[in-house]
Amino acid sequence: KDDAIFEVLLETMRDAAQRPAGTPSLDEFIDQWVRFVLDNPTAAMIYMRLGVTGAVNHTHIVDRIRHFQEKRVDYLAAALTGANPQMTVADATPRAELVLATLNGLTIRYLVDSAFDLAAHVEVLREIATA
């Protein structure tokens, strides 16, 4: 059951995360993330739940989540190095991981408390990520 739900969610996420060819953009990535969460809170909640509970029981889900995480990190690291040519990929990669971890945490916070100002916190994240 979890595998079937996860596949539907992955398709929804793929549709929401279509990126145009060209230079990776931190702002575009973050904007798409926030739009997905705000427009699809139920799907976002299920994805987060499956990411945690599904990972315990399903190696297939673990592998898929890991794959998407690695792709997101690569994209964000490229965006960070593109925005700051003095930054190396080795420096950008842990920063990209922290951006994703923060987005996940802010998403969970918003999903359990819809009064939480996700957009305002994401703006702070943008500033920190590019500093």
Side-chain angles (χ1 to χ4, degrees), residues 19 59 62 80 107 109:
R19 291 181 187 81
T59 57
V62 171
L80 290 168
T107 297
R109 177 76 163 88

Side-chain angles (χ1 to χ4, degrees), residues 10 16 39 41 49 52 62 65 69 74 82 87 100 113 116 123:
L10 288 179
D39 293 348
R49 184 190 135 266
V52 176
V62 171
I65 291 171
Q69 179 76 3
D74 291 346
M87 187 180 297
L100 284 175
D113 178 7
F116 177 73
E123 290 309 312

Side-chain angles (χ1 to χ4, degrees), residues 2-19:
D2 282 349
D3 285 337
I5 293 169
F6 191 69
E7 289 302 320
V8 170
L9 284 172
L10 288 179
E11 195 59 39
T12 301
M13 290 173 59
R14 273 189 218 106
D15 291 345
Q18 293 300 316
R19 291 181 187 81

Side-chain angles (χ1 to χ4, degrees), residues 74-110:
D74 291 346
Y75 181 89
L76 287 171
L80 290 168
T81 57
N84 183 353
Q86 292 140 347
M87 187 180 297
T88 66
V89 173
D91 292 333
T93 300
R95 193 176 282 230
E97 291 279 7
L98 290 171
V99 168
L100 284 175
T102 303
L103 284 170
N104 280 320
L106 292 174
T107 297
I108 291 168
R109 177 76 163 88
Y110 170 76

